[in-house]
């Protein structure tokens, strides 16, 4: 029986290729997002499962009691290790110190690398494998460096990394002694670079890192792991750890053992557990989204299946006439929907690759193929197929042969379509919201690029000063024949580095952003002040006396442009005088800003060079930098290419991808309902045509209801898009345009595409032939 159902299903799907393809693509698109979420969930539960004897590894937690409150930390003080080494049922202990990101200096600039310090037992306890090198060098050589495959490729490319010497800012030089294989699964202990724990003492003495090796109170950046002889020793270890309770200052410390398997999903009661993955709440949310996507995919399948109900109804009548039961008919349709879902699964992997590009932190999504994942995906596809096919199979199998074979067109599949109309409104509301956000961001990016291309010169370099004293370097760079001007600033056409401060004026307190500006910037760049004057020629460096404000700041302070000049502001607990008003920033931003001269906060040198001299002057500046600061890399970039050329934000890609997905799903959903509507109203349309209705009037009769649904979706989606745009405006600045034009474009694009989808079906209403439709009446 199953074999016959499969054969018939394949024949039916092959005969209706377009219908099958649309259903497969619709299901695969919805399933792709579900698969991304599912693989993320699986990765969460698979975290750390590549370690050998996982059930014997525990992490030591610190429970801090302070002023009556208790806090659990995922870290522990390093002095505890020496006391634990004497415990009989402890096989190994591992110290891991998290140092954070340090800049690794290369010829192409700095590469931030996450640094951890550990010891040889790290490779005995955990499942990290060395592709090359000896773990014992972490003891014998304090300058040993171990890199993961991915990090080595990022730094050295295809060049052999072993034996290479690298320089970390503030940490010194290290030699690559080993390569760590990238772990096959996620881990709560991600590694980029591993340094020897023996080097920490030297670095602590130099002041490069904080001294925590013998400090019980400084435990928030170090972790302790223990390998036990048996998993039954966990309770015993917890009892033993009570002997090591410690009192420090105004708090007391207690220690607990947490099995490494319990780290993920994340326990929100444990602080400082950066890479523990999502908690149970986020897992439940993802499961709900997967269910919603499955139902959404099922809705589209149902709508398309019902659109074809009349062509399948006669088949049902014939099969029942020759003795088929209702259960057998249902089984046939469920087999068809399941096969469609399984075919959709084949298209899901390429869909996942495309969709992952638009989802934050999912660019490197990969499938760690194993039997569990394969079976899970197959189960997901089968469930999706059964859910999608359940309603059409139940509905079609209820037809009576005599009813179908006599007057098939008089069959009413269901009395009301309120649920379907509601789903269409929801789908298009969400689509309109996303499309409005896409239009707003695209408009911002278009204007930004246009103004940038016309205002920011291509012959400007920016040099990151990295907090160094820059005066001598600036003088030497200014003397280069290829250099026209140099400015020491945090600002050039827009803030490079921005600060925030409290301003008090006339008993009014406001939070306003500020940047540090070279006093010569106004004159050199030819900026015309709205009123007032530029900074004096000889500005004192020790005491701040004068500031400039832009128009937006003046407006925020509610003082007319003519009167704010000369007013005194209380800034940083000292009074400064406003001596001029800058125009709102050149690239169109209207963010309130105060322009200050703060030599200690200067972040970069902006260097304007003569045309066609970039390569030559770059080498000269890098040489001068090396003479002044040999321990640091010169980060020198073309300002226009580095800072402004790739300003299209992640929001654009995310909202664009989301809008496209939702739009396709919504269009497929309305496609089936529109087709079904035409089929069920053919008799009415035939009567209207006999009564003299034109083809256009017939098309309008069927289409107007869908237009009304899209209009309702706009009433919901436009305010939602406006709300989302306002949230983005708070993040990206007041320059985001929430105008009526942008809102209309967003709504109009969705409405036009929706109506075109509807018209692709309802245009058939004008082609109704009354003599054929009404001949049985």
């Amino acid at each position: 029986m199953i074999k016959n159902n499969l054969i018939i299903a394949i024949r039916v799907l092959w005969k209706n290729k377009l219908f099958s393809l649309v259903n497969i693509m619709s299901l695969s698109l919805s399933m792709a997002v579900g698969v991304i979420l599912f693989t993320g969930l699986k990765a969460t539960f698979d975290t750390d499962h590549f370690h050998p004897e996982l059930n014997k590894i525990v992490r030591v937690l610190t429970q801090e009691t302070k002023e009556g409150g208790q806090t659990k930390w995922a870290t522990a003080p390093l002095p505890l290790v020496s006391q634990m080494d004497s415990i009989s049922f402890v096989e190994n202990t591992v110290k891991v110190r998290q140092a954070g990101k340090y800049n690794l200096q290369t010829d192409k600039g700095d590469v931030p690398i996450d640094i951890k310090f550990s010891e040889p037992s790290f490779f005995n306890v955990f499942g990290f494998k060395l592709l090359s090198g000896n773990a014992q060098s972490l003891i014998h050589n304090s300058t040993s460096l171990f890199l993961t495959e991915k990090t080595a490729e990022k730094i050295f490319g295809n060049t052999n990394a072993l034996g290479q010497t690298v320089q970390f800012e503030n940490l010194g030089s290290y030699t690559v002694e080993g390569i760590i294989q990238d772990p096959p699964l996620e881990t709560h202990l991600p590694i980029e670079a591993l340094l020897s724990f023996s080097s920490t003492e030297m670095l602590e003495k130099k002041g490069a890192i904080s001294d925590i090796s013998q400090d019980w109170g400084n435990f928030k950046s170090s972790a302790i792991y223990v390998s036990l002889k048996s998993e039954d020793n966990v309770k015993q270890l917890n009892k033993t750890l009570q002997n090591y309770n410690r009192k420090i200052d105004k708090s007391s410390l207690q220690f607990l053992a947490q099995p490494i398997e319990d780290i993920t999903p994340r326990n929100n009661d444990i602080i400082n557990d950066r890479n523990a993955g999502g908690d149970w709440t986020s897992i439940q949310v993802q499961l709900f989204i997967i269910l919603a996507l499955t139902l959404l995919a099922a809705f589209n399948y149902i709508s398309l299946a019902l659109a074809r109900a009349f062509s399948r109804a006669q088949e049902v009548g014939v099969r029942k006439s020759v003795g088929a039961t209702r259960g057998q008919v249902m089984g046939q349709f469920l087999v068809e929907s399941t096969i469609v879902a399984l075919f959709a699964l084949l298209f899901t992997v390429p869909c996942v690759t495309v969709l992952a590009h638009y989802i934050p932190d999912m660019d490197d999504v990969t499938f760690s193929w194993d039997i569990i994942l394969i079976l899970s995906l197959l189960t997901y596809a089968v469930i999706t197929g059964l859910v999608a096919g359940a309603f059409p199979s139940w509905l079609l199998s209820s037809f009576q042969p005599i009813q179908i074979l006599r007057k098939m067109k008089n069959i009413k599949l269901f009395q009301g379509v309120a649920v379907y109309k509601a789903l269409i409104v929801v789908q298009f509301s969400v689509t309109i919201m996303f499309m409005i956000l896409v239009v707003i961001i695209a408009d911002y990016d278009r204007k930004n690029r246009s103004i940038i291309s016309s205002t920011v010169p291509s012959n400007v370099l920016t040099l990151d000063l990295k907090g160094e004293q820059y005066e001598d370097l600036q003088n030497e760079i200014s003397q280069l024949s290829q250099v026209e001007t140099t400015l020491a600033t945090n600002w050039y056409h827009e803030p490079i580095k921005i600060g925030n401060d409290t301003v008090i004026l006339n008993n009014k307190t406001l939070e306003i952003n500020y940047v540090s500006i070279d006093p010569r910037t106004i004159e050199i760049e030819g900026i015309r002040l709205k009123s007032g004057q530029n900074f004096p020629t000889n500005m004192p460096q020790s005491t701040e006396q004068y500031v400039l404000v832009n128009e937006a700041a003046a407006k925020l302070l509610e003082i007319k442009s003519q009167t704010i000049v000369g007013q005194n502001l209380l800034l940083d607990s000292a009074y400064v005088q406003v001596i001029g008003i800058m125009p709102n920033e050149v690239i169109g931003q209207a963010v309130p800003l105060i322009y200050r001269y703060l030599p200690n906060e200067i972040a970069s040198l902006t260097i304007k060079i003569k045309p066609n001299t970039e390569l030559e002057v770059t080498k000269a500046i890098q040489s001068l930098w090396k003479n002044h600061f040999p321990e640091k890399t010169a980060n020198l970039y073309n300002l226009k290419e580095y800072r402004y050329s790739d300003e299209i934000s992640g929001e654009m890609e995310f909202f664009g991808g989301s809008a496209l997905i939702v739009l396709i799903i919504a269009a497929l959903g309305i496609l089936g309902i529109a087709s079904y509507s035409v089929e069920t109203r053919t008799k009415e349309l035939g009567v209207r045509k006999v009564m003299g209705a034109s083809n256009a009037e017939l098309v309008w009769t069927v289409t107007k209801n869908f237009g009304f649904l899209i209009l309702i979706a706009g009433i919901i989606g436009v305010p939602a898009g406006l709300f989302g745009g306002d949230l983005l405006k708070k993040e990206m600045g007041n320059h985001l345009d929430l105008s009526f034009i942008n809102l209309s474009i967003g709504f109009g694009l969705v409405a036009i595409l929706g109506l075109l989808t509807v018209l692709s079906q309802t245009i058939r209403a004008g082609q109704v032939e009354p003599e054929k439709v009404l001949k049985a009446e």
Side-chain angles (χ1 to χ4, degrees):
M1 184 66 184
I2 296 178
K3 180 180 178 181
N4 290 334
N5 284 343
L6 286 171
I7 293 173
I8 294 172
I10 293 174
R11 286 176 178 172
V12 169
L13 296 176
W14 181 253
K15 181 181 178 181
N16 302 277
K17 299 181 186 65
L18 180 61
F19 165 79
S20 302
L21 181 62
V22 171
N23 261 330
I24 288 171
M25 297 308 297
S26 173
L27 283 174
S28 64
L29 191 61
S30 299
M31 288 172 63
V33 181
V35 167
I36 289 176
L37 295 174
F38 178 79
T39 52
L41 287 176
K42 184 176 182 297
T44 296
F45 288 100
D46 285 346
T47 297
D48 289 315
H49 277 64
F50 62 95
H51 300 308
E53 298 185 316
L54 185 67
N55 55 352
K56 296 182 183 179
I57 305 174
V58 299
R59 179 176 64 176
V60 178
L61 305 178
T62 301
Q63 182 169 283
E64 183 182 26
T65 303
K66 191 175 183 179
E67 297 178 355
Q70 287 187 338
T71 305
K72 284 184 182 178
W73 297 85
T75 50
L78 293 176
L80 180 63
V81 175
S82 59
Q83 300 191 27
M84 296 181 64
D85 286 336
S86 60
I87 300 175
S88 59
F89 51 83
V90 170
E91 282 193 338
N92 279 300
T93 58
V94 183
K95 296 181 292 185
V96 178
R97 175 168 180 167
Q98 300 170 357
K101 288 188 179 292
Y102 280 82
N103 286 332
L104 185 147
Q105 299 172 351
T106 71
D107 294 337
K108 298 180 181 178
D110 293 340
V111 178
I113 301 294
D114 186 61
I115 300 292
K116 288 181 175 64
F117 296 90
S118 195
E119 50 194 344
S121 59
F122 180 89
F123 296 100
N124 297 330
V125 172
F126 298 117
F128 295 98
K129 295 180 180 180
L130 281 174
L131 295 177
S132 57
N134 190 334
Q136 294 305 311
S137 61
L138 288 174
I139 294 179
H140 304 306
N141 191 348
S142 61
T143 60
S144 290
L145 169 65
F146 286 70
L147 300 175
T148 59
E149 292 177 274
K150 186 180 293 185
T151 308
E153 184 179 354
K154 180 168 65 174
I155 299 170
F156 300 106
N158 295 326
T159 306
N160 185 11
L162 282 178
Q164 299 279 357
T165 299
V166 298
Q167 179 84 19
F168 285 103
E169 280 188 8
N170 301 323
L171 295 183
S173 298
Y174 293 84
T175 302
V176 180
E177 299 283 354
I179 302 296
I180 305 171
Q181 185 181 43
D182 291 331
L185 299 172
E186 294 291 333
T187 174
H188 81 284
L189 195 60
I191 302 293
E192 282 192 324
L194 197 66
L195 297 182
S196 168
F197 223 103
S198 60
S199 64
T200 57
E201 183 178 349
M202 177 184 63
L203 293 172
E204 286 174 350
K205 287 180 179 179
K206 288 171 55 178
I209 58 177
S210 57
D211 187 355
I212 68 171
S213 297
Q214 303 301 323
D215 188 351
W216 283 85
N218 198 345
F219 59 85
K220 296 176 184 178
S221 61
S222 57
I224 298 174
Y225 296 88
V226 178
S227 175
L228 303 172
K229 291 184 178 179
S230 169
E231 61 179 309
D232 298 328
N233 296 137
V234 176
K235 291 183 180 179
Q236 193 175 356
L237 178 60
N238 269 318
K239 187 175 181 180
T240 304
L241 286 173
Q242 294 177 7
N243 299 325
Y244 304 129
N245 294 347
R246 199 87 175 183
K247 288 188 177 181
I248 53 169
D249 297 331
K250 298 180 181 179
S251 62
S252 61
L253 307 180
Q254 295 174 292
F255 306 106
L256 308 168
Q258 180 191 32
I260 198 172
E261 288 183 287
D262 294 345
I263 292 177
T264 52
R266 177 196 298 274
N267 184 342
N268 290 325
D269 294 332
I270 300 176
I271 308 299
N272 212 23
D273 207 358
R274 296 184 183 91
N275 300 292
D279 58 12
W280 279 106
T281 301
S282 67
I283 289 173
Q284 290 171 0
V285 169
Q286 290 181 69
L287 288 172
F288 174 78
I289 294 174
I290 292 174
L291 175 62
L293 287 168
T294 303
L295 294 176
L296 188 62
F299 163 70
N300 282 355
Y301 181 92
I302 291 169
S303 64
L304 289 170
L306 293 180
R308 293 183 61 251
F310 294 101
S311 63
R312 302 297 302 275
Q314 192 172 14
E315 172 195 338
V316 173
V318 172
R319 293 192 67 182
K320 280 195 170 184
S321 297
V322 296
T325 65
R326 183 176 184 181
Q328 290 172 331
V329 174
M330 289 183 66
Q332 176 61 53
F333 286 110
L334 289 175
V335 168
E336 289 179 19
S337 62
T338 303
I339 289 177
V340 168
L342 290 172
F343 274 118
L345 187 61
L346 297 177
F347 290 90
T348 295
V349 173
C351 280
V352 166
T353 305
V354 175
L355 294 180
H357 176 68
Y358 298 99
I359 300 177
D361 302 322
M362 290 294 293
D363 286 344
D364 298 325
V365 66
T366 56
F367 292 98
S368 55
W369 294 106
D370 55 38
I371 189 64
I372 296 177
L373 178 61
I374 293 172
L375 290 176
S376 299
L377 292 180
L378 288 174
T379 303
Y380 175 54
V382 170
I383 291 175
T384 302
L386 293 176
V387 171
F391 182 69
S393 64
W394 174 81
L395 190 65
L396 293 173
S397 65
S398 65
F399 292 167
Q400 298 300 319
I402 190 169
Q403 179 189 25
I404 297 171
L405 300 177
R406 287 184 59 198
K407 291 187 177 182
M408 193 168 56
K409 293 293 184 182
N410 290 339
I411 299 172
K412 197 74 172 178
L413 294 182
F414 44 92
Q415 296 301 316
V417 289
V419 174
Y420 288 87
K421 289 180 180 179
L423 283 172
I424 287 174
V425 169
V426 170
Q427 285 180 316
F428 275 87
S429 297
V430 174
T431 306
I432 290 167
M433 178 191 71
F434 275 115
M435 191 60 71
I436 286 174
L437 296 178
V438 170
V439 170
I440 290 171
I441 296 173
D443 176 66
Y444 160 69
D445 181 70
R446 178 185 61 81
K447 291 178 180 177
N448 233 18
R449 289 179 181 274
S450 175
I451 297 174
I452 287 167
S453 62
S454 61
T455 58
V456 179
S458 58
N459 59 324
V460 176
L461 306 179
T462 179
L463 176 64
D464 184 2
L465 293 172
K466 299 184 176 182
E468 298 289 349
Q469 294 296 321
Y470 61 87
E471 288 82 2
D472 293 340
L473 176 65
Q474 183 180 11
N475 290 334
E476 293 179 18
I477 292 175
S478 299
Q479 293 172 14
L480 295 174
S481 59
Q482 304 92 343
V483 173
E484 293 183 353
T485 59
T486 63
L487 296 172
T489 184
N490 288 344
W491 177 88
Y492 192 85
H493 292 276
E494 74 167 0
I496 294 172
K497 183 179 178 182
I498 198 166
N500 185 271
D501 219 329
T502 301
V503 175
I504 300 178
L505 175 65
N506 295 336
N507 297 321
K508 185 174 183 178
T509 303
L510 296 169
E511 294 285 334
I512 298 183
N513 293 326
Y514 70 87
V515 290
S516 184
I517 183 173
D518 191 312
R520 299 177 301 152
T521 303
I522 310 296
E523 180 183 352
I524 290 174
E525 294 301 312
I527 298 173
R528 292 188 176 183
L529 298 176
K530 291 296 181 178
S531 62
Q533 62 183 5
N534 190 11
F535 290 110
T537 305
N538 298 318
M539 285 276 289
Q541 295 195 6
S542 57
T543 305
E544 187 178 13
Q545 297 179 348
Y546 307 107
V547 297
L548 302 173
V549 298
N550 69 350
E551 296 173 274
K555 183 178 180 181
L556 187 63
L557 292 167
E558 295 183 348
I559 294 180
K560 293 182 180 180
S561 301
Q562 294 78 6
T563 59
I564 192 173
V565 176
Q567 294 287 334
N568 291 323
L569 306 176
L570 184 59
L571 187 66
D572 284 344
S573 302
Y575 283 97
V576 294
Q577 187 180 39
V578 179
I579 59 172
I581 296 181
M582 289 270 286
N584 285 334
E585 293 187 71
V586 178
I587 63 167
Q589 294 187 13
V591 178
L593 273 180
I594 297 178
Y595 296 86
R596 308 169 65 180
Y597 177 52
L598 301 172
N600 293 332
E601 292 194 16
I602 294 298
S604 64
L605 283 181
T606 300
I607 306 162
K608 186 177 288 187
I609 62 176
K610 294 179 180 178
N612 304 319
T613 62
E614 183 172 338
L615 184 61
E616 183 181 355
V617 77
T618 297
K619 292 181 179 179
I621 293 173
Q622 287 176 337
S623 178
L624 292 174
W625 175 274
K626 192 171 184 179
N627 293 337
H628 285 272
F629 316 112
E631 298 295 319
K632 295 187 177 182
T633 309
N635 286 350
L636 182 66
Y637 308 100
N638 182 291
L639 184 67
K640 190 170 186 176
E641 294 177 2
Y642 172 70
R643 183 164 180 80
Y644 300 110
S645 63
D646 296 320
E647 288 239 335
I648 198 168
S649 61
E651 285 91 345
M652 181 65 184
E653 292 187 351
F654 175 72
F655 288 123
S658 301
L660 180 62
I661 294 169
V662 177
L663 180 59
I664 292 173
I665 293 175
L668 291 173
I670 203 172
L671 179 70
I673 295 298
S675 178
Y676 168 74
S677 180
V678 173
E679 291 288 348
T680 56
R681 299 181 67 179
T682 51
K683 186 171 69 174
E684 172 198 342
L685 296 171
V687 172
R688 286 178 178 270
K689 197 161 189 176
V690 170
M691 299 298 294
S694 65
N695 290 353
E697 289 174 334
L698 294 178
V699 173
W700 169 248
T701 299
V702 183
T703 306
K704 63 181 180 181
N705 292 333
F706 293 99
F708 181 68
L709 292 178
I710 293 175
L711 182 62
I712 294 175
I715 294 173
I716 300 172
V718 171
L722 187 62
F723 176 75
D726 189 60
L727 294 179
L728 281 179
K729 192 172 184 179
K730 293 177 182 178
E731 178 185 340
M732 301 175 67
N734 293 329
H735 48 286
L736 213 63
D737 187 5
L738 304 181
S739 65
F740 174 78
I741 294 176
N742 283 341
L743 296 178
S744 300
I745 292 173
F747 169 70
L749 288 173
V750 177
I752 290 171
L753 289 174
L755 289 174
L756 288 176
T757 302
V758 171
L759 284 171
S760 70
Q761 299 302 311
T762 59
I763 201 168
R764 291 186 292 124
Q767 301 171 357
V768 169
E769 298 180 17
E771 63 274 13
K772 292 183 179 180
V773 174
L774 303 175
K775 65 180 180 180
E777 299 301 322

